[in-house]
PDB file of all heavy atoms in Angstrom:
ATOM      1  N   ILE A  16     -13.258   8.000  12.615  1.00  0.00           N
ATOM      2  CA  ILE A  16     -14.263   7.067  13.135  1.00  0.00           C
ATOM      3  C   ILE A  16     -14.049   6.842  14.636  1.00  0.00           C
ATOM      4  O   ILE A  16     -14.996   6.870  15.416  1.00  0.00           O
ATOM      5  CB  ILE A  16     -14.223   5.731  12.361  1.00  0.00           C
ATOM      6  CG1 ILE A  16     -14.702   5.957  10.923  1.00  0.00           C
ATOM      7  CG2 ILE A  16     -15.057   4.664  13.058  1.00  0.00           C
ATOM      8  CD1 ILE A  16     -14.467   4.783   9.996  1.00  0.00           C
ATOM      9  N   CYS A  21     -15.938   8.069  20.214  1.00  0.00           N
ATOM     10  CA  CYS A  21     -15.599   8.372  21.601  1.00  0.00           C
ATOM     11  C   CYS A  21     -16.131   9.713  22.076  1.00  0.00           C
ATOM     12  O   CYS A  21     -16.023  10.037  23.243  1.00  0.00           O
ATOM     13  CB  CYS A  21     -14.081   8.361  21.772  1.00  0.00           C
ATOM     14  SG  CYS A  21     -13.367   6.713  21.536  1.00  0.00           S
ATOM     15  N   THR A  43     -31.330  20.180  38.516  1.00  0.00           N
ATOM     16  CA  THR A  43     -31.359  21.531  39.074  1.00  0.00           C
ATOM     17  C   THR A  43     -31.660  22.564  37.999  1.00  0.00           C
ATOM     18  O   THR A  43     -32.502  23.451  38.191  1.00  0.00           O
ATOM     19  CB  THR A  43     -30.017  21.857  39.770  1.00  0.00           C
ATOM     20  OG1 THR A  43     -29.792  20.892  40.800  1.00  0.00           O
ATOM     21  CG2 THR A  43     -30.014  23.256  40.359  1.00  0.00           C
TER      22      THR A  43
END
Side-chain angles (χ1 to χ4, degrees):
I16 292 169
C21 294
T43 301

